[in-house]
Amino acid sequence: MKKILELISQEVSSAFEACGYDASYGKTGISNRPDLCEYQCNGAMAAKKKYQKAPIMIANEVVEKLAAHMEAARQQGAVPLFEKAEAVNPGFINLKVSGEYLAGYLGDMASDADLSFEKAKQPKTIMIDFGGANVAKPLHVGHLRSAIIGESVKRICRFAGHTVIGDVHLGDWGLQMGLIITEVRHRQPELPYFDGNFEGEYPQEAPFTISELEEIYPTASAKSKEDEAYKKEALEATAKLQDGERGYRALWQHILNVSIADLKKNYGNLNVEFDLWKKESDAQPYIADMAEYMKKEGYAYEDQGALIVDIKEESDTKEVPPCIILKSDGAALYTTTDLATIIDRVKNYDPDEIIYVVDKRQEMHFTQVFRCARKTKLVKDDMELKFLGFGTMNGKDGKPFKTREGGVMRLERLISEINDEMYKKIMENHEADPDEARQTAKLVGLSAIKYGDLSNQASKDYVFDVDKFTSFEGNTGPYILYTIVRIKSILNKYRAQNTSAGGDLPKTILAPANESEKALMLELTKFNSVMEQACEELAPHKICSFIYDLSNALNRFYHETKILAQEDKVQQAGWIALLDLTKRVLETGIDLLGFEAPERM
Ligand code: ARG
């Protein structure tokens, strides 16, 4: 379905043309003076030079044409697009859309399964690399943004009609693995994993629980910083693991199993889902051939024992270091696994595009990986590699978010603190069954966290402000949910009053009866263009600001209109149809952001 601005521009353009001017001057936008008009065309001013004519004269002619069009439509019993077209000095054309036209436009939207949004004409296969948790390390808030933004981008791309594959790309191949293996070895040297002569089957049971594992890593990491010999041991263990030493691989498999079960639970609580649970280590089988190929084709050369590819470009304004493919000891680096992962993805999924949702401090790493992949022709020229870098989540002190005691905030703890806060608020608000309130608190808590994050442009740092994010008022997730719940409650009451319809709601949207209703309708017409922008720019924050404006418009209309007490049943049915559409639009919006609304709150 066409966007309303396109329809309006088309109408104004044909008036320009009918007056002998170029049609392109008819481009019309939303008015920045909503007190004067709804839409505004500044084409007459732009046409001044070409036609050597005062803009107001041009505007007057066009407006006369528009008025004639409106009249002709009325004569034919059709609905005119405009209710008012006015030329204003020095040459603005101010426009107001007619109520009947709006009602028809929204009626078409309501009967469309995609709410007037047009899916991609050429669907692509898009892989999204997000989440990026490291096994054996607790999920902390640093990984929260990747999960939240990635999940939303995944849903948005899917909504736009693309085939989307989300991959968690776990970190399981670097030094952290060697550190854990080393620490386990120090604690339990008798385990068969460390016995080079052991040929039997390794135990099924892991030698640690998730909470032990989460303690082992930080301990090992701290030790390695103070103890050179320990660090060396860990580096050796990493190399041996990557080399395929049997016992280390078996132990590593235990680390994976224990961690992944825990990660699935945590991501599940966030309503974040991955199609693939691939890992850095899945790239290992490609590494040797990749290095060989890069050498043979003359892309890579040896420098002080390491294998590197130059990726500098003339236009660089800052130094872009060469890409290291293998370290002098032959070990793989972060760039190595990312390049080899691209080979795996191309081979198995043939994506048109890969989007990486990662902390923006890793931008240089991705510049190196992307350039190297292109230069060495790991990807086709038309395949897109996109880095969606996000900023840091800070505390109120402007420093990276910490617990009150100053430690690293674990995701589980953050979520439960928010849920407790929401539970308190819900119980304060009204009497509720404690079990139901707990469930509701979970949904509302998630909206607080996700909306708080997504309403900011991803690349910017933002302050995680619990009091603000959990508030039922203002630009917050709970406020949006509150609005949806309000609509649901009206619709339910209406259903209860009109049982003869068997639960079906009326569908016919009427011309607005008052100003706040028209404002709500105008907001709704923006849906398809906002969605298009959000998809093109991978910008969930655009959806946030749209649903916030829409919620405000809905609440204003609600406060100014007695809907359930309305005696004119046709009028009432029209309002119910409008509320139902608003609810669908808001629910689509929050679904794309990755959360849902409760029945009550
Ligand atoms: N595990 C990495 C980290 O914690 C993030 C992985 C991002 N994705 C990638 N393909 N490099 O920093």
Side-chain angles (χ1 to χ4, degrees), residues 144-172:
L144 183 64
R145 297 210 72 192
S146 179
I148 292 179
I149 299 166
E151 177 69 23
S152 177
V153 167
K154 185 186 83 184
R155 291 177 185 219
I156 290 172
C157 292
R158 239 173 229 163
F159 181 73
H162 303 296
T163 301
V164 185
I165 307 168
D167 179 13
V168 65
H169 195 72
L170 294 178
D172 71 334

Side-chain angles (χ1 to χ4, degrees), residues 551-570:
S551 296
N552 283 337
L554 182 283
N555 286 314
R556 184 154 81 87
F557 168 64
Y558 168 83
H559 286 300
E560 289 177 10
T561 317
K562 292 223 167 354
I563 301 169
L564 289 166
Q566 171 62 237
E567 280 173 9
D568 176 343
K569 290 296 155 193
V570 175

Side-chain angles (χ1 to χ4, degrees), residues 89-207:
N89 266 323
F92 299 113
I93 299 171
N94 290 353
L95 300 159
K96 277 192 177 166
V97 160
S98 82
E100 292 84 38
Y101 188 87
L102 262 185
Y105 186 85
L106 294 183
D108 289 346
M109 179 173 165
S111 58
D112 179 5
D114 295 319
L115 295 168
S116 79
F117 173 76
E118 277 181 40
K119 304 249 171 207
K121 294 201 178 59
Q122 285 165 318
K124 295 189 271 194
T125 299
I126 301 177
M127 287 193 86
I128 306 187
D129 180 316
F130 73 111
N134 298 311
V135 301
K137 293 194 205 168
L139 265 189
H140 59 81
V141 297
H143 289 111
L144 183 64
R145 297 210 72 192
S146 179
I148 292 179
I149 299 166
E151 177 69 23
S152 177
V153 167
K154 185 186 83 184
R155 291 177 185 219
I156 290 172
C157 292
R158 239 173 229 163
F159 181 73
H162 303 296
T163 301
V164 185
I165 307 168
D167 179 13
V168 65
H169 195 72
L170 294 178
D172 71 334
W173 213 224
L175 180 61
Q176 90 252 30
M177 292 292 139
L179 285 165
I180 294 167
I181 293 173
T182 302
E183 183 56 24
V184 175
R185 183 182 189 135
H186 279 231
R187 292 184 189 189
Q188 306 178 66
E190 71 288 355
L191 290 176
Y193 309 100
F194 307 116
D195 175 359
N197 299 319
F198 185 78
E199 281 177 0
E201 291 235 350
Y202 291 109
Q204 296 276 313
E205 191 92 350

Side-chain angles (χ1 to χ4, degrees), residues 36 61 77 112 159 222 256 273 287 289 310 313 325 358 381 411 414 420 450 497 508 522 529 575 583:
L36 298 179
E61 287 170 47
D112 179 5
F159 181 73
L256 283 185
E273 253 177 56
I287 292 178
D289 287 351
D310 279 331
E313 283 172 11
I325 308 298
V358 185
D381 284 345
L411 197 54
L414 177 86
D420 290 347
K450 288 196 168 185
Q497 285 173 7
T508 311
L522 288 169
S529 81
W575 285 336
K583 171 173 149 296

